[in-house]
Amino acid sequence: MNELKKSIHDNTTGLDYTLVNDHYLPNLTAAAPAEHPTGRWGRLHKTYLKEQHPVRYNQLLLSGELDGYLAKLDKQVEEQLALTIRQMQEAEGVTEALKAADQLEWVRRMNSIRNRAEKIIKSELIFV
């Protein structure tokens, strides 16, 4: 009976295989962790993709582009959210002077602005 080699290389696929018991298994390694961890908006979009667009989600996952895509989206959403909040503050006259004069009113208005801005962001960038 022939002795099996401990490892082999397949030139057609470029993969190396290691002998385990009497089967050759490919030497696969996990992808490196993302350089930029995914934030709130990336996680929300990931859940949306899994549930509503599984084919697109699997394409991104299997190609190794999912983490980069979500990190980029997360950064874009944070920038857009900050801009939208700043614009709404200016349009509604929510200033530092109001904050100094009536803190509770300022907090109420800022919470309202933030909630509306997040709703806009979700409809335009996350759930699409």
Side-chain angles (χ1 to χ4, degrees):
M1 188 160 133
N2 291 339
E3 184 85 17
L4 296 175
K5 295 181 182 179
K6 294 281 184 195
S7 62
I8 59 173
H9 178 76
D10 184 356
N11 291 327
T12 58
T13 62
L15 293 176
D16 293 318
Y17 294 85
T18 302
L19 182 65
V20 177
N21 296 330
D22 58 346
H23 299 288
Y24 283 104
L25 300 178
N27 297 339
L28 301 176
T29 57
E35 292 179 16
H36 305 286
T38 305
R40 170 188 177 198
W41 301 107
R43 289 189 308 270
L44 195 59
H45 188 65
K46 180 180 178 181
T47 301
Y48 171 76
L49 284 176
K50 273 184 183 179
E51 294 172 359
Q52 302 298 322
H53 300 282
V55 173
R56 175 79 174 127
Y57 172 78
N58 284 323
Q59 286 173 338
L60 288 168
L61 182 65
L62 295 174
S63 68
E65 299 172 6
L66 182 64
D67 289 336
Y69 168 77
L70 293 174
K72 183 178 175 183
L73 176 75
D74 195 67
K75 183 178 179 188
Q76 178 185 2
V77 168
E78 286 293 338
E79 292 170 358
Q80 185 64 39
L81 182 63
L83 177 65
T84 303
I85 289 173
R86 194 170 40 248
Q87 289 173 342
M88 291 174 87
Q89 272 183 279
E90 290 173 9
E92 297 177 20
V94 179
T95 62
E96 290 297 316
L98 175 63
K99 184 178 182 179
D102 188 356
Q103 289 183 355
L104 289 177
E105 179 63 18
W106 182 85
V107 169
R108 184 184 66 76
R109 285 186 176 186
M110 283 302 296
N111 284 340
S112 174
I113 288 171
R114 177 170 270 290
N115 288 336
R116 287 182 282 143
E118 286 182 1
K119 189 173 183 179
I120 291 167
I121 293 296
K122 286 177 183 177
S123 67
E124 292 181 358
L125 296 174
I126 301 300
F127 301 130
V128 290

